[in-house]
Amino acid sequence: MLDGDRYGLPVKKDGSCAHLVGNLCSIHEDRPDICRTEMMNHKKPGQTRKDYYIQSTKACHLLIDLHELDENYKVDISEYDSMEDDE
């Protein structure tokens, strides 16, 4: 389960963030830094933003599986197909 207190996030019984409504963030504009991929960006030298997002999404998928959360929380990686491949 996610340690919500550690990140300042309330957590539902299933381990998902309490701010998720369906699979959408209900506090997107005011979300904490831990939820802001662009703020937590630790990409490797030469890695594109698109590749960073894909790798981060795959890591999230592994955590969803590890914690046996609903598959609906997974983001379809093909959503990044239209993203520019810039650094």
Side-chain angles (χ1 to χ4, degrees), residues 1 3 7 10 17 22-23 36 43 54 59-60 63 70 72-73 75 83:
M1 293 290 228
D3 183 359
Y7 299 107
C17 177
N23 197 26
R36 295 176 181 270
K43 59 183 199 163
I54 289 170
C60 286
L63 289 170
D70 190 312
N72 290 325
Y73 292 119
V75 173
M83 180 183 274

Side-chain angles (χ1 to χ4, degrees), residues 49-76:
R49 185 171 52 103
K50 178 179 178 177
D51 286 339
Y52 172 77
Y53 284 172
I54 289 170
Q55 292 302 312
S56 296
T57 300
K58 287 180 179 179
C60 286
H61 289 185
L62 289 173
L63 289 170
I64 289 167
D65 292 342
L66 178 68
H67 292 287
E68 300 177 347
L69 299 177
D70 190 312
E71 293 283 317
N72 290 325
Y73 292 119
K74 291 184 177 181
V75 173
D76 183 358

Side-chain angles (χ1 to χ4, degrees), residues 11-33:
V11 179
K12 296 178 190 173
K13 288 182 182 180
D14 69 358
S16 65
C17 177
H19 295 297
L20 283 176
V21 176
N23 197 26
L24 298 175
C25 178
S26 64
I27 61 165
H28 187 77
E29 293 302 318
D30 297 317
R31 67 197 186 280
D33 285 350

